[in-house]
Amino acid sequence: MKQIIIAIDGLSSCGKSSMAKELARRLGYTYIDTGAMYRAVTLYAIRQGLFNGDIVDADALERKMSLVNVSFGVNASTGRSETYLNGENVEAEIRRMEVSKHVSAVSSLPFVRSALVKLQRQIGEKKGLVMDGRDIGTVVFPNAELKIFVTATPEIRAKRRLDEMKAKGEEASFDEILANVKSRDYQDTNRSVSPLRRAPDALELDNSDMTIAEQNEWLLQHAMSVISSISEKND
């Protein structure tokens, strides 16, 4: 069967990473969480003391970007891809609220996006890839064979994020998370560089009222339909 690139974009806390990971697993594709890449750079900036409140010292971060190495490795026990920052597994740390509060400030910086988009395109050269983020179908892979745009109501997304954090033993309030979700929506859709947009040819998936199993089946059906169609054309 012909291998393709599947681009999954959408709003924060829609479960894009989880659904993309599962789709990649079922297809035998490589999965790349681009959001995790920006979170890793954000974590680096936090550790380096480059934030003054919500403001990041962009000049200092730009000077240090050559020292930031983001990579992925497969967890042998789960079979899932996990994020590494300069060789350290930071998968759990980049999901914490402190990083969530600051990631939009970092991801909007042109030099950060340029560096990570270049890396993302290098990874995608071999195809057989599922990649999720904010600008995959519009900027990184505008010619991806299948593009999905995921959305859900802010309240549903905040509740899911709260449940996820509670399951990890982390403390957070619904109101704080909801405010963060709405803030990130505004920043992601209004930034000057690569704003979050639905690509004209992207299929919309509103999973507000869908179970995880339902959305996974929806994705698999659409992916298999595109893969089969392209494979038939090339035969």
Side-chain angles (χ1 to χ4, degrees):
M1 297 286 280
K2 176 74 173 179
Q3 290 197 321
I4 66 173
I5 290 177
I6 300 174
I8 301 180
D9 292 311
L11 300 168
S12 66
S13 301
C14 275
K16 297 186 302 297
S17 297
S18 295
M19 66 177 71
K21 287 177 183 178
E22 179 61 15
L23 180 61
R25 185 190 68 80
R26 297 176 77 173
L27 293 174
Y29 277 24
T30 299
Y31 163 72
I32 299 297
D33 178 357
T34 61
M37 298 172 79
Y38 289 101
R39 284 175 174 269
V41 177
T42 302
L43 177 61
Y44 178 85
I46 292 172
R47 288 178 170 182
Q48 293 293 311
L50 302 184
F51 273 94
N52 181 9
D54 294 332
I55 307 300
V56 63
D57 186 337
D59 291 337
L61 179 57
E62 186 169 15
R63 290 194 296 269
K64 293 176 178 288
M65 273 301 292
S66 62
L67 303 176
V68 181
N69 177 35
V70 181
S71 59
F72 296 89
V74 176
N75 184 314
S77 61
T78 65
R80 302 280 190 179
S81 176
E82 296 185 340
T83 312
Y84 286 74
L85 171 62
N86 293 335
E88 175 192 354
N89 188 323
V90 293
E91 185 64 31
E93 196 168 354
I94 62 173
R95 306 299 174 182
R96 293 174 182 165
M97 183 55 67
E98 183 183 16
V99 173
S100 295
K101 288 180 177 178
H102 294 95
V103 66
S104 289
V106 170
S107 65
S108 64
L109 296 173
F111 65 87
V112 173
R113 300 204 72 83
S114 177
L116 294 187
V117 166
K118 180 180 180 180
L119 177 58
Q120 291 156 15
R121 286 174 174 161
Q122 290 173 347
I123 295 171
E125 288 178 354
K126 295 181 179 180
K127 299 222 172 182
L129 180 77
V130 181
M131 187 175 286
D132 75 280
R134 300 288 191 280
D135 60 355
I136 311 306
T138 54
V139 175
V140 183
F141 294 117
N143 296 318
E145 292 87 348
L146 176 60
K147 302 174 188 177
I148 306 293
F149 188 87
V150 190
T151 184
T153 67
E155 292 75 17
I156 289 290
R157 288 183 282 140
K159 177 62 166 56
R160 290 172 179 168
R161 181 67 174 150
L162 179 63
D163 291 343
E164 178 183 300
M165 295 181 71
K166 284 184 175 179
K168 295 178 180 178
E170 300 176 22
E171 293 186 5
S173 73
F174 175 80
D175 289 341
E176 179 185 17
I177 295 175
L178 180 59
N180 176 251
V181 165
K182 291 181 177 180
S183 174
R184 289 194 63 190
D185 286 352
Y186 179 82
Q187 293 180 61
D188 288 343
T189 57
N190 288 278
R191 66 188 178 214
S192 59
V193 180
S194 302
L196 173 62
R197 296 283 187 272
R198 175 185 172 184
D201 54 345
L203 300 177
E204 182 171 288
L205 170 59
D206 186 336
N207 64 6
S208 298
D209 299 314
M210 297 177 74
T211 65
I212 292 176
E214 288 172 341
Q215 70 181 18
N216 286 343
E217 285 304 315
W218 186 95
L219 282 167
L220 183 62
Q221 288 178 13
H222 283 284
M224 291 305 300
S225 176
V226 171
I227 292 169
S228 296
S229 178
I230 292 175
S231 296
E232 289 175 1
K233 289 180 181 178
N234 291 336
D235 286 344

